Amino acid sequence: LCPESIQNEYNEVVFEYFEFSHYLRRTPDWFAAYNFFCSNDAASANRCCTVVDSGFSFAHSSPYIDSICQTHAVKRVNIGGKLLTNYLKEIISYRQWNMMDEFWLVNQVKEDLCYVSTNFCADLKTAKSISPIDRCSILKDPFGG
């Protein structure tokens, strides 16, 4: 994925400048899959998983079969934190205040209060009732007053 000339420059820096005797260069999704296989007994039996790497502008889905990334099946989706922040700005602006020019502020609120559910159905039932999920964010006064 990375041009060979850049890989060679990187190798030169690692071996000559930092004086490494050897190193392992892999993508972040490889390390996530490796950690999953090493820490999960069920995963070590079948050696299959899918790693979803969600970033600011897009997300990658990387399937692993027998602990090998299936590069032909890696998919990129143009959905990331920026899209979610923009959607949140739109919802807040529609319901409360005009926040369309406040990307940084809405992004900070999203990072402070949003989370990924590990049990979506249970969290959805909890959220429909009086919810311990409800949280509050207090905006700081930029002028110190």
Side-chain angles (χ1 to χ4, degrees), residues 36-86:
F36 176 73
F37 293 136
C38 289
S39 64
N40 191 337
D41 292 334
S44 62
N46 60 16
R47 309 295 286 178
C48 297
C49 74
T50 301
V51 177
V52 178
D53 182 8
S54 180
F56 184 70
S57 298
F58 50 84
H60 282 101
S61 174
S62 306
Y64 282 78
I65 299 174
D66 294 327
S67 304
I68 299 171
C69 182
Q70 305 300 307
T71 55
H72 64 279
V74 172
K75 298 295 180 198
R76 173 183 163 159
V77 181
N78 292 326
I79 296 175
K82 182 179 179 183
L83 179 79
L84 297 175
T85 300
N86 287 337

Side-chain angles (χ1 to χ4, degrees), residues 115 117 119-134:
Y115 68 96
S117 174
N119 188 344
F120 181 75
C121 293
D123 284 346
L124 190 60
K125 287 178 184 175
T126 304
K128 288 181 179 179
S129 64
I130 298 176
S131 177
I133 294 175
D134 290 347

Side-chain angles (χ1 to χ4, degrees), residues 103-118:
F103 181 85
W104 183 87
L105 182 63
V106 173
N107 192 57
Q108 188 65 41
V109 169
K110 178 191 76 174
E111 289 179 0
D112 290 345
L113 300 179
C114 295
Y115 68 96
V116 175
S117 174
T118 56

